[in-house]
Amino acid sequence: MIFEVLTTASCRWSIRNIVALREKQAAYTLVDVATAAGKAPWFLALTPFGKTPGLRHAGEIVVESREINEYVDAAAPGRALLPSDPLRRSWARIWNGYCDEVLMRCIYRLTAPVGTPERVDALDQFDRALARADRHVFEHAAADGLWGGEQPGLTDICYWTVFDVLARVESMADARHLLGHHPTLQRWSERLLAHPSFRVAEAELVAMSAPPSACLH
Ligand SMILES: N[C@@H](CCC(=O)N[C@@H](CS)C(=O)NCC(=O)O)C(=O)O
């Protein structure tokens, strides 16, 4: 049964899910839930939180990009995106939680205006959180390559979001420079941002609501 990613063209959280589905070689489609007046009422009726992305599969809905990817890994055939070793699997989940509950929360705090004490404090907190990840995140990773090995796993997919925000959002320039203090994360960021799976997923999302290519000429 096909997986439907319910999203909008600007919702980069859903790139996580597109990458996971591609890595599983699962059949999927993207469904644009944006309307001129916001998210479509039929979509809002499916989820208690009103956030994209959602995943519809077998008549049910799953939300939260990280949980969606756990579901995809369990429900779709294809290579496992979490380690099979129980200890490494636990650590993958611990670090995935750290990504969303610590690093991404720091990033939300960085919306404080540049030059304010809140911003200075948020930057300092982010730097300390990055330092902890830099020292420890690869302790239970695959021996070579990305966290998951040669191909991206769920931990790579989670952290791509942090690196993507730092690379893309202009107001994050000061936070982006912090990566230079953390060589393991810096290297990881470069590899993930250049990785074809993420590039293809990103292009697919952006093209989701574009008119058919014949109209563009
Ligand atoms: N933690 C969520 C974040 C999702 C999220 O913030 N989605 C945005 C769009 S990209 C949204 O729907 N925001 C509306 C809102 O926060 O009410 C996830 O990982 O899926």
Side-chain angles (χ1 to χ4, degrees), residues 19 37 68 126 166:
V19 171
I68 290 172
F126 188 45
L166 292 180

Side-chain angles (χ1 to χ4, degrees), residues 92-177:
R93 290 186 168 127
I94 292 163
W95 284 113
N96 295 353
Y98 187 81
C99 177
D100 285 10
E101 283 139 33
V102 178
L103 295 177
M104 287 309 293
R105 283 194 191 164
C106 286
I107 285 181
Y108 285 125
R109 282 196 68 210
L110 286 165
T111 48
V114 174
T116 60
E118 291 85 348
R119 174 79 178 205
V120 171
D121 188 56
L123 267 180
D124 181 54
Q125 188 192 27
F126 188 45
D127 198 26
R128 281 183 282 116
L130 289 172
R132 193 185 300 273
D134 195 65
R135 273 198 308 279
H136 299 292
V137 68
F138 269 80
E139 281 169 3
H140 294 89
D144 297 312
L146 301 170
W147 204 99
E150 279 181 19
Q151 296 158 302
L154 293 194
T155 305
D156 298 295
I157 294 174
C158 272
Y159 281 76
W160 174 86
T161 302
V162 172
F163 301 139
D164 175 59
V165 173
L166 292 180
R168 232 175 10 82
V169 179
E170 206 28 65
S171 62
M172 291 285 160
D174 48 2
R176 176 159 63 242
H177 293 315

Side-chain angles (χ1 to χ4, degrees), residues 6-155:
L6 313 180
T7 186
T8 67
S10 64
C11 181
R12 297 180 73 82
W13 289 99
S14 61
I15 293 175
R16 287 179 165 188
N17 308 126
I18 302 170
V19 171
L21 287 159
R22 296 186 66 85
E23 292 295 319
K24 298 292 279 187
Q25 301 194 330
Y28 69 92
T29 183
L30 306 188
V31 178
D32 189 356
V33 304
T35 73
K39 290 176 187 137
W42 66 262
F43 170 72
L44 295 175
L46 287 178
T47 154
F49 310 114
K51 293 185 183 182
T52 49
L55 182 81
R56 190 160 54 184
H57 181 238
E60 298 289 346
I61 183 106
V62 184
V63 296
E64 287 290 324
S65 59
R66 179 158 54 106
E67 284 309 316
I68 290 172
N69 276 359
E70 289 266 352
Y71 175 84
V72 165
D73 199 27
R79 74 177 181 89
L81 302 181
L82 278 171
S84 55
D85 171 68
L87 180 69
R88 290 192 55 232
R89 185 162 62 234
S90 287
W91 276 103
R93 290 186 168 127
I94 292 163
W95 284 113
N96 295 353
Y98 187 81
C99 177
D100 285 10
E101 283 139 33
V102 178
L103 295 177
M104 287 309 293
R105 283 194 191 164
C106 286
I107 285 181
Y108 285 125
R109 282 196 68 210
L110 286 165
T111 48
V114 174
T116 60
E118 291 85 348
R119 174 79 178 205
V120 171
D121 188 56
L123 267 180
D124 181 54
Q125 188 192 27
F126 188 45
D127 198 26
R128 281 183 282 116
L130 289 172
R132 193 185 300 273
D134 195 65
R135 273 198 308 279
H136 299 292
V137 68
F138 269 80
E139 281 169 3
H140 294 89
D144 297 312
L146 301 170
W147 204 99
E150 279 181 19
Q151 296 158 302
L154 293 194
T155 305

